[in-house]
Amino acid sequence: MAEYSHHGWVYFNDSFYYISAWGNSWQDSREDCLQRGADLVIINSKEEQEFMRQFKKHVWIGLTDRETEGVWEWVDGTPLTTSYWDANEPNSHEGIDEDCGEIKLHYDDENNWNDVSCTVQNIWICEKKFTLTQ
Ligand code: 2F8
Ligand code: CA
């Protein structure tokens, strides 16, 4: 699939993606996306997971279980069906409340998601659906 970019946004499979230049908490990252008319990225295909890996970045994704511990939801309210958690994740490591989803640094693995505290400062990826009419 061809990728086009425009003012920092990259187009792939019916969405534009924006990668931030600095780190922020999950909530502040999400608010930045909302202000851009987008939201944190929702990964709902294997192709999109592969595409995310190409950024080779440690980033927030639009996934959280902050409403109900252990029930992971995307920012659009859809439940998590297909997931790409790293081995032994999500784990709320050492009893820390880890309610937000990130792509870990070892993006070489197909399964590279981790749950981490939402207050960690990560860069983030926004996604805006944009279907080009035919
Ligand atoms: O080993 C997995 C574990 O690695 C880190 O904790 C040592 C992550 N925490 C942070 O990056 C802050 C955990 O979320 C992860 O489960
Ligand atoms: Ca974890």
Side-chain angles (χ1 to χ4, degrees):
M1 211 310 168
E3 291 165 23
Y4 304 92
S5 72
H6 179 70
H7 295 299
W9 293 81
V10 178
Y11 190 72
F12 174 76
N13 271 3
D14 295 342
S15 288
F16 277 101
Y17 296 87
Y18 176 88
I19 184 154
S20 76
W22 57 83
N24 223 329
S25 68
W26 188 90
Q27 185 61 40
D28 286 350
S29 299
R30 182 167 188 216
E31 271 155 28
D32 173 84
C33 293
L34 293 171
Q35 283 192 1
R36 296 173 190 277
D39 208 337
L40 285 172
V41 61
I42 294 171
I43 302 172
N44 43 24
S45 71
K46 189 166 159 51
E47 292 69 32
E48 195 173 19
Q49 168 68 1
E50 293 298 311
F51 176 67
M52 284 300 119
R53 285 170 59 196
Q54 293 173 33
F55 285 99
K56 300 196 185 298
K57 297 279 187 193
H58 181 184
V59 291
W60 286 128
I61 59 174
L63 187 62
T64 178
D65 75 338
R66 64 189 176 163
E67 277 193 29
T68 310
E69 183 60 33
V71 180
W72 289 88
E73 256 186 20
W74 293 109
V75 284
D76 67 353
T78 53
L80 177 61
T81 48
T82 306
S83 62
Y84 299 94
W85 294 113
D86 192 7
N88 307 314
E89 305 294 347
N91 63 353
S92 284
H93 186 69
E94 291 179 349
I96 294 167
D97 202 23
E98 296 189 316
D99 286 350
C100 287
E102 63 171 13
I103 290 179
K104 290 178 91 158
L105 258 184
H106 45 109
Y107 30 69
D108 287 345
D109 298 338
E110 172 158 347
N111 294 318
N112 58 9
W113 296 357
N114 177 40
D115 64 332
V116 75
S117 162
C118 303
T119 60
V120 163
Q121 307 275 300
N122 276 340
I123 60 172
W124 64 94
I125 295 182
C126 305
E127 177 181 10
K128 184 178 191 147
K129 285 261 163 228
F130 192 94
T131 307
L132 296 172
T133 50
Q134 297 161 25

